[in-house]
């Protein structure tokens, strides 16, 4: 009876460690992105949706790429692209954890982060 309890607990611990993944459990789901412009006060559109005026701090999902457009009357609009990248630290931790954490984090995209923390644009006056 006692051996079966120890065996059950051991299997439960092994299963929980196997089905966990570092980035899914501990990683951030959003990423702060500071958005600025010269001159300040430009309208900021993220993937076509107005988010506010510069200077602005956005919290964006870390597993998506974004097109950021700056618009201001009398100035040419400027577009910037923010992409994702894989956090190397999560990969190393997942490899140490085994195959299942790698599969979970890769499938969910939880080991991704934005490739920039700040996006700025200099707007040129229209002629």
């Amino acid at each position: 009876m006692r051996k079966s309890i120890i065996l059950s607990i051991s299997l439960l611990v092994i299963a929980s460690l196997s089905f966990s993944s570092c980035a899914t459990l501990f990683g951030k789901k959003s990423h702060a992105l500071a958005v600025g412009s010269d001159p300040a006060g430009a309208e900021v559109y993220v993937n076509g949706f107005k988010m506010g005026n510069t200077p602005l701090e956005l919290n964006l999902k870390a597993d998506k790429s974004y097109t950021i457009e700056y618009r201001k009357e009398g100035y040419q609009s400027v577009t910037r692209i923010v992409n994702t990248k894989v956090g190397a630290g999560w990969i190393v931790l997942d490899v140490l954890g085994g195959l299942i954490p790698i599969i979970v984090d890769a499938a969910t995209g939880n080991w991704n982060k934005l490739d920039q923390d700040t996006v700025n644009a200099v707007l040129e006056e229209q002629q």
Side-chain angles (χ1 to χ4, degrees):
M1 178 76 173
R2 186 177 177 120
K3 284 186 179 183
S4 69
I5 292 174
I6 293 173
L7 181 61
S8 297
I9 292 173
S10 298
L11 289 174
L12 182 64
V13 169
I14 290 170
S16 65
L17 290 175
S18 296
F19 290 106
S20 65
S21 53
C22 293
T24 299
L25 294 175
F26 304 111
K28 294 179 183 176
K29 303 299 184 235
S30 65
H31 186 95
L33 182 70
V35 181
S37 69
D38 182 19
E43 296 176 324
V44 176
Y45 291 82
V46 177
N47 292 346
F49 296 97
K50 185 174 179 182
M51 302 301 284
N53 295 345
T54 60
L56 180 66
E57 183 162 315
L58 302 171
N59 283 314
L60 303 174
K61 291 184 178 181
D63 63 343
K64 295 176 65 177
S65 294
Y66 297 93
T67 301
I68 299 177
E69 186 177 3
Y70 298 84
R71 299 180 193 168
K72 186 168 177 127
E73 191 172 324
Y75 292 85
Q76 295 178 7
S77 64
V78 174
T79 302
R80 298 283 187 255
I81 304 294
V82 177
N83 290 306
T84 62
K85 66 179 181 179
V86 175
W90 294 125
I91 294 174
V92 171
L93 291 172
D94 283 349
V95 167
L96 294 174
L99 182 62
I100 293 175
I102 294 171
I103 293 170
V104 170
D105 280 347
T108 61
N110 287 332
W111 58 16
N112 291 334
K113 62 181 183 175
L114 298 180
D115 65 354
Q116 307 174 52
D117 294 323
T118 305
V119 179
N120 293 306
V122 176
L123 304 175
E124 295 183 20
E125 289 187 60
Q126 289 180 338
Q127 297 184 11

